[in-house]
Amino acid sequence: MAETHDLIVIGAGPGGYVAAIRAAQLGLKVACVELAKGLGGTCLRVGCIPSKALLESSERYAAARLGLAEHGITVEGVSFDLAAMMKRKDKIVSILSKGVDGLFKKNGVTRYLGRARIVAAGQVVVEGDSPVELAAKHVIIATGSHSADLPGVELDGDRVGTSTEALAYTAVPDHLVVIGAGFIGLELGSVWARLGAKVTVLEYLDRILPGMDSELAAEALKIFAKQGLEFRLGSRVTGARAKGKGAVVEVDGAEPIACDRVLLAVGRTANTDGLGLDQVGVRLNERQQIVVDQHYATTVPGIHAVGDVIGGPMLAHKAEEEGVACVERLVTGYGHVNYDALPGICYTHPEIASVGRTEEQLTADGVPYRKGAFPFLANGRARSLGETDGRIKVLAHGETDRLLGVHIIGPRAGDLIAEAAAAIEFGASSEDLARCFHAHPTLSEALKEAALAVDERAIHV
Ligand SMILES: Cc1cc2nc3c(=O)[nH]c(=O)nc-3n(C[C@H](O)[C@H](O)[C@H](O)COP(=O)(O)OP(=O)(O)OC[C@H]3O[C@@H](n4cnc5c(N)ncnc54)[C@H](O)[C@@H]3O)c2cc1C
């Protein structure tokens, strides 16, 4: 006999667990199936949270070693304990994961441990030691993604691995080769470079951070190179494998690179295998992502999908908003996500953050725009922090002045972008931003100045 619910959510990452909680708040009887013991998905277990924990620890180490002298502070004998750093990271993950467990209990979401397979619309089997059959009117697939493969790269879960391994190295590699200069490669490359590894980043394109504003990406490249990361752009990796106690990476037209660890970070692939999607008729696109309409409905009535498993940027907050919108639409008839206001952040030092469209996109779409920029060099707070690298760029519609995009490289860019995301969400103009109070002295004044600069009215530059 199947156990009956109103909604079955498959996957307890940010898309799935948030959808499950919101559905329970709206009065549905909810089951959430997750194959991993810990809740929270990629983001919490092996993604956003552990990477930020290590970024923070390694940044503090680097600051203590190199960043305090200009403040007149002398620190001697700075060292670190990698095992303690890892323990701290694991503790943060464990606390947050248990927190999701607690939220499930508080909201009455029933958790099932095992691998879910859809056998028909509204029918799910949880495979495991003691299989369970579940039935519900609605199913939401939120199974996320895994690190993408690259032909010729032989992952061995040790010397040649993905971000999951790079979040748990037991020793600092002498030489780490990172394949792919996207967010994940640059964040984890930065962690290990700060801790003393030689880091070589191989990127197929002639730029880093594909998809981000190219001017800011070029500035980031210079800053990271100054920090000691070695970049080889236009490098096509043809193979990588463990060799002896290390590894070797083959690059088209270049000498093979001997190193001791390889991190493959060339993107992520949707988790659609083994879910029974073929049998029930859920359509996938050519990238193996689930095809959905604007309300996250798949090609099978009653089955929905959100998060990394569908198209779009693979970001935790995107997955969360989709989970909420999907459930609210099912229960109330309304639910919407404004992708124009979706921020993306690379948590390097300095951080790089972006919301809305880039100049390249606006040019390609033939949208008239005006831009204003302001350097952190001219911001009093950035000066006092000793963090003057970078700038803010504001893009506004050439005729209406409506904000179209904001791109930031600089101190706390990830926090500063929130104001820009809210402004875009509310349909603000650059003048609206420029006329708002921004407390002095704060980094946020740089955003006001960049907005003023759209109209050539910046005061401090
Ligand atoms: C190293 C790294 C750093 C990242 N940093 C950031 C960041 O700073 N900010 C950000 O926004 N994003 C970041 N991301 C991306 C972010 O982790 C994902 O976008 C987010 O986790 C997607 O959420 P999701 O719910 O769609 O899927 P996931 O978080 O992947 O969760 C899916 C869950 O489904 C489970 N599952 C899969 N198949 C089944 C099945 N058949 N049955 C039962 N359960 C199943 C999986 O075990 C998993 O727990 C990072 C990713 C990585 C790898």
Side-chain angles (χ1 to χ4, degrees):
M1 243 319 248
E3 296 179 20
T4 306
H5 297 264
D6 298 318
L7 169 69
I8 302 166
V9 180
I10 306 178
Y17 86 72
V18 169
I21 291 171
R22 184 69 190 120
Q25 285 175 345
L26 289 166
L28 299 193
K29 186 179 173 212
V30 185
C32 183
V33 189
E34 168 58 56
L35 63 84
K37 271 203 184 122
L39 300 175
T42 303
C43 176
L44 210 161
R45 288 183 287 110
V46 287
C48 326
I49 298 299
S51 59
K52 266 77 255 176
L54 291 184
L55 278 159
E56 192 60 40
S57 299
S58 59
E59 200 175 311
R60 287 188 187 213
Y61 168 66
R65 219 166 55 87
L66 306 166
L68 294 178
E70 72 156 295
H71 294 268
I73 302 169
T74 314
V75 187
E76 278 165 19
V78 180
S79 62
F80 66 90
D81 174 347
L82 185 61
M85 254 181 216
M86 292 293 172
K87 205 167 150 196
R88 173 181 180 272
K89 172 209 68 172
D90 293 340
K91 192 172 165 198
I92 294 168
V93 169
S94 160
I95 290 171
L96 291 175
S97 182
K98 282 186 191 131
V100 178
D101 241 328
L103 291 172
F104 272 10
K105 287 193 182 99
K106 180 180 157 204
N107 288 281
V109 174
T110 309
R111 190 256 154 108
Y112 290 87
L113 175 63
R115 180 177 287 278
R117 189 165 49 82
I118 304 174
V119 287
Q123 288 177 41
V124 170
V125 170
V126 184
E127 294 168 338
D129 293 344
S130 39
V132 186
E133 282 177 37
L134 302 176
K137 185 172 170 199
H138 308 290
V139 174
I140 297 179
I141 304 170
T143 48
S145 62
H146 61 275
S147 187
D149 293 331
L150 189 67
V153 175
E154 297 168 24
L155 296 174
D156 70 348
D158 180 22
R159 294 283 148 190
V160 183
T162 66
S163 52
T164 301
E165 287 80 30
L167 286 166
Y169 294 154
T170 49
V172 178
D174 283 336
H175 186 187
L176 170 66
V177 171
V178 178
I179 306 175
F183 291 28
I184 293 175
L186 292 177
E187 288 184 8
L188 290 172
S190 296
V191 165
W192 293 106
R194 289 170 195 163
L195 297 180
K198 171 181 174 185
V199 174
T200 303
V201 182
L202 304 176
E203 168 58 52
Y204 177 69
L205 300 175
D206 60 359
R207 58 165 290 175
I208 64 169
L209 293 167
M212 276 226 161
D213 179 277
S214 61
E215 231 182 320
L216 263 58
E219 191 161 347
L221 179 68
K222 283 192 205 141
I223 296 171
F224 298 151
K226 255 201 272 168
Q227 291 173 1
L229 270 73
E230 182 199 4
F231 288 92
R232 298 198 196 168
L233 303 181
S235 293
R236 192 169 74 86
V237 172
T238 53
R241 66 196 57 84
K243 190 174 175 194
K245 287 188 177 159
V248 65
V249 182
E250 288 154 356
V251 182
D252 195 16
E255 286 296 306
I257 306 170
C259 56
D260 48 346
R261 285 198 188 270
V262 179
L263 160 57
L264 179 66
V266 291
R268 298 185 57 84
T269 305
N271 287 333
T272 46
D273 280 353
L275 275 167
L277 301 182
D278 263 7
Q279 293 89 311
V280 288
V282 170
R283 206 167 87 224
L284 305 182
N285 65 19
E286 62 295 340
R287 299 183 62 198
Q288 299 306 299
Q289 297 161 327
I290 297 177
V291 175
V292 291
D293 69 8
Q294 75 271 34
H295 302 303
Y296 311 104
T298 69
T299 41
V300 175
I303 303 184
H304 291 70
V306 298
D308 280 11
V309 79
I310 65 172
M314 291 188 171
L315 294 168
H317 44 285
K318 167 191 171 277
E320 290 185 16
E321 291 307 319
E322 288 175 349
V324 168
C326 176
V327 159
E328 290 188 346
R329 163 90 185 168
L330 290 178
V331 179
T332 68
Y334 301 96
H336 177 67
V337 174
N338 177 6
Y339 292 98
D340 289 339
L342 170 67
I345 300 161
C346 182
Y347 296 82
T348 43
H349 190 91
E351 293 177 345
I352 307 159
S354 205
V355 63
R357 289 194 268 171
T358 60
E359 285 195 68
E360 294 87 332
Q361 287 164 339
L362 293 173
T363 305
D365 295 345
V367 178
Y369 67 92
R370 294 189 301 159
K371 69 173 166 179
F374 190 80
F376 282 105
L377 209 59
N379 174 270
R381 189 63 188 276
R383 280 265 174 206
S384 55
L385 289 170
E387 303 267 359
T388 49
D389 277 341
R391 70 190 128 138
I392 301 188
K393 190 200 273 192
V394 170
L395 305 174
H397 195 282
E399 285 146 19
T400 65
D401 194 37
R402 193 181 177 122
L403 277 177
L404 299 174
V406 175
H407 307 279
I408 308 177
I409 176 167
R412 299 289 166 199
D415 294 317
L416 292 173
I417 204 71
E419 180 187 352
I424 289 180
E425 179 67 38
F426 293 158
S429 62
S430 78
E431 185 176 351
D432 290 330
L433 257 191
R435 286 191 183 277
C436 285
F437 276 119
H438 287 73
H440 179 72
T442 61
L443 296 169
S444 73
E445 286 173 288
L447 181 56
K448 178 187 174 89
E449 290 274 3
L452 280 167
V454 171
D455 201 30
E456 294 176 14
R457 289 192 289 140
I459 303 288
H460 291 94
V461 76

